[in-house]
């Protein structure tokens, strides 16, 4: 997928950050009130039971699987706690009211239009006359809205569990299912040609259960398109607990190999894996400039991210993306 350059401010306006940080702090506190219910799990990708402790952030413990190198939170909140948490999330309420509306045009042009272009390209490449798309985790509805505007599919449906966001989608005329996909019961003949799920799988207690459910909702030969953080990506690898991608919501940090492994276990054939992210270098640079991340002993990063940023920054990010080293990952798989 061709990446369109944009800045962090384009999708997360800095003038709204302070208020959002307060909402995040409230949400972290809410989730930690249920910490006694957190459960120990095996690796969400390979089911391995041997891991190495990495660090702690906001009292959440992060480990890495000794076998497939997936980073994950362990112990973690179970499904019932997560359902309760997202229904009352102050952060998502704030994003729905302020951040999504103020950045929608920029997000549409630089994220969602390319995503829809990619969906259409993939449908031409792998499918014959597809007519239905399901987006799991449709959020503010921008992707579904853009997809509907192209008039290429007879039916476009969104799944969204956060009440405020689900209502926003309805107001846009999008057909919405307001419940976790794991509990959705479809008619026997109601399956989709394409299921897209952007930035969802990293939030889940059980990615395996999620993918097994999606497998049952896709027609044979249909496509699954997923995006999520890449635990092997530059931003996450360099910054660790300082990375914005490492937060109380993200429980799973797959890498290209481990997510492909999990998809195969669930009956899918991975077709394409790539990391089209465009923000890694800027995110690390911003942490350096704010004195949150020290690179005094790393002359390479000093040269690329600071001294010669205007000359090397874009090319360095392009290198990361081309070599599956960006912290944003996309996978295309087919039901076999």
């Amino acid at each position: 997928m061709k990446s369109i350059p944009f800045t962090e401010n384009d999708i997360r306006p800095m003038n709204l950050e302070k208020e959002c940080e307060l909402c995040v702090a409230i949400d972290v506190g809410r989730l930690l009130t249920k910490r006694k219910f957190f459960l120990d799990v095996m690796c969400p990708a390979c089911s391995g039971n041997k891991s190495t402790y990495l660090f702690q952030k906001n009292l959440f413990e992060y480990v890495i699987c000794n076998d497939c190198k997936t980073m994950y939170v362990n112990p973690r909140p179970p499904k019932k706690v997560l359902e309760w948490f997202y229904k009352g999330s102050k952060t998502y309420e704030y994003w729905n009211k302020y951040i999504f509306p103020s950045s929608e045009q920029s997000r549409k042009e630089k994220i969602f239009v390319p995503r829809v272009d990619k969906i259409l390209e993939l449908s031409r490449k792998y499918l014959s006359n597809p007519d239905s798309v399901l987006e799991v985790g449709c959020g503010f509805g921008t992707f579904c809205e853009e997809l509907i505007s192209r008039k290429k599919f007879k039916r476009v449906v969104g799944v969204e569990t956060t009440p405020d966001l689900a209502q926003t989608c309805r107001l846009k005329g999008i057909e919405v299912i307001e419940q976790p996909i794991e509990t959705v019961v479809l008619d026997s003949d109601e399956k989709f040609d394409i299921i897209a799920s952007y930035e969802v799988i990293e939030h889940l207690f059980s990615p395996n259960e999620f993918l097994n459910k999606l497998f049952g909702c896709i027609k044979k030969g249909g496509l699954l398109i997923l995006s999520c953080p890449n635990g092997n990506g530059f931003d996450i690898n360099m910054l660790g607990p300082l990375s914005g991608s490492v937060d109380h919501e993200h429980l799973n940090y797959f890498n290209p190999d481990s997510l492909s492994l999990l998809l195969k276990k669930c009956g899918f054939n991975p077709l394409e894996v790539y990391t089209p992210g465009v923000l890694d270098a800027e995110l690390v640079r911003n942490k350096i400039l704010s004195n949150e991340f020290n690179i005094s002993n790393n002359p390479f990063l000093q040269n690329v991210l600071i001294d010669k940023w205007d000359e090397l920054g874009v090319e360095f990010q392009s290198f990361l993306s081309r070599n599956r080293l960006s912290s944003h990952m996309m996978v295309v798989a087919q039901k076999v």
Side-chain angles (χ1 to χ4, degrees):
M1 184 174 79
K2 183 179 180 181
S3 299
I4 297 178
F6 58 88
T7 67
E8 185 178 9
N9 187 64
D10 287 332
I11 60 172
R12 290 187 289 268
M14 296 303 171
N15 63 312
L16 300 175
E17 278 294 292
K18 289 295 182 183
E19 189 70 26
C20 187
E21 288 173 3
L22 176 60
C23 293
V24 170
I26 292 172
D27 275 355
V28 170
R30 289 179 61 244
L31 197 50
L32 288 175
T33 64
K34 305 293 185 181
R35 200 174 192 285
K36 65 181 179 181
F37 300 112
F38 285 17
L39 299 175
D40 289 311
V41 297
M42 295 186 291
C43 172
C46 72
S47 301
N49 60 5
K50 293 184 179 180
S51 62
T52 300
Y53 175 84
L54 293 176
F55 54 79
Q56 185 182 95
K57 182 176 181 179
N58 292 328
L59 299 181
F60 292 86
E61 297 179 357
Y62 295 79
V63 302
I64 188 167
C65 175
N66 291 355
D67 296 320
C68 72
K69 307 306 177 186
T70 295
M71 184 172 82
Y72 59 102
V73 172
N74 197 28
R76 60 177 55 190
K79 286 193 300 181
K80 289 295 184 183
V81 170
L82 290 173
E83 289 174 19
W84 163 84
F85 170 74
Y86 284 111
K87 284 182 179 179
S89 169
K90 293 297 183 183
T91 305
Y92 281 82
E93 180 182 349
Y94 187 81
W95 274 73
N96 185 49
K97 287 183 178 179
Y98 303 107
I99 295 182
F100 281 139
S102 66
S103 63
E104 184 175 24
Q105 189 57 38
S106 180
R107 285 173 170 269
K108 178 179 177 180
E109 294 173 0
K110 299 179 179 183
I111 297 177
F112 294 105
V113 167
R115 282 182 179 174
V116 170
D117 290 342
K118 186 64 177 180
I119 288 282
L120 296 178
E121 175 193 324
L122 291 168
S123 67
R124 290 191 297 268
K125 184 177 180 180
Y126 294 110
L127 301 175
S128 175
N129 299 318
D131 64 8
S132 58
V133 179
L134 176 71
E135 184 189 11
V136 180
C138 54
F140 200 65
T142 312
F143 173 80
C144 285
E145 192 174 32
E146 175 65 20
L147 193 60
I148 291 169
S149 75
R150 305 293 185 95
K151 299 180 179 178
K152 299 291 185 180
F153 300 96
K154 294 180 181 177
R155 190 179 183 207
V156 175
V157 181
V159 174
E160 180 52 58
T161 61
T162 304
D164 290 344
L165 291 171
Q167 179 60 16
T168 295
C169 290
R170 290 192 192 95
L171 292 174
K172 292 182 174 185
I174 299 166
E175 181 183 349
V176 180
I177 300 172
E178 191 181 331
Q179 64 186 95
I181 186 64
E182 291 88 348
T183 66
V184 172
V185 178
L186 300 177
D187 293 337
S188 59
D189 60 345
E190 185 183 19
K191 294 185 186 295
F192 292 85
D193 294 292
I194 299 172
I195 294 183
S197 184
Y198 302 107
E199 286 82 61
V200 172
I201 196 169
E202 66 269 27
H203 296 255
L204 304 176
F205 175 79
S206 177
N208 184 79
E209 180 185 359
F210 174 73
L211 290 177
N212 282 330
K213 178 65 179 186
L214 296 189
F215 186 86
C217 296
I218 300 179
K219 296 176 184 177
K220 186 174 182 180
L223 294 181
L224 172 65
I225 294 95
L226 295 175
S227 74
C228 61
N230 171 19
N232 280 349
F234 180 73
D235 161 33
I236 294 173
N237 263 328
M238 292 304 305
L239 298 178
L242 291 176
S243 169
S245 292
V246 177
D247 66 22
H248 61 288
E249 294 183 38
H250 294 171
L251 307 179
N252 312 295
Y253 299 81
F254 299 105
N255 56 63
D257 292 333
S258 69
L259 186 51
S260 296
L261 174 66
L262 177 59
L263 285 163
K264 290 176 183 176
K265 285 171 56 180
C266 295
F268 291 98
N269 176 32
L271 301 172
E272 303 178 20
V273 183
Y274 43 96
T275 62
V278 298
L279 289 178
D280 296 72
E282 182 194 354
L283 291 172
V284 175
R285 170 181 161 82
N286 287 343
K287 292 295 184 182
I288 297 168
L289 294 175
S290 65
N291 295 316
E292 296 175 77
F293 184 56
N294 189 338
I295 59 166
S296 58
N297 294 321
N298 195 322
F300 174 78
L301 291 185
Q302 176 69 37
N303 192 39
V304 173
L305 299 182
I306 305 297
D307 298 342
K308 296 183 179 179
W309 172 251
D310 291 338
E311 179 184 348
L312 300 176
V314 172
E315 180 56 34
F316 181 63
Q317 181 64 52
S318 178
F319 165 81
L320 296 175
S321 298
R322 289 195 312 269
N323 291 278
R324 305 206 307 187
L325 294 171
S326 163
S327 290
H328 176 63
M329 174 169 59
M330 294 195 72
V331 178
V332 180
Q334 191 166 35
K335 178 176 178 176
V336 294

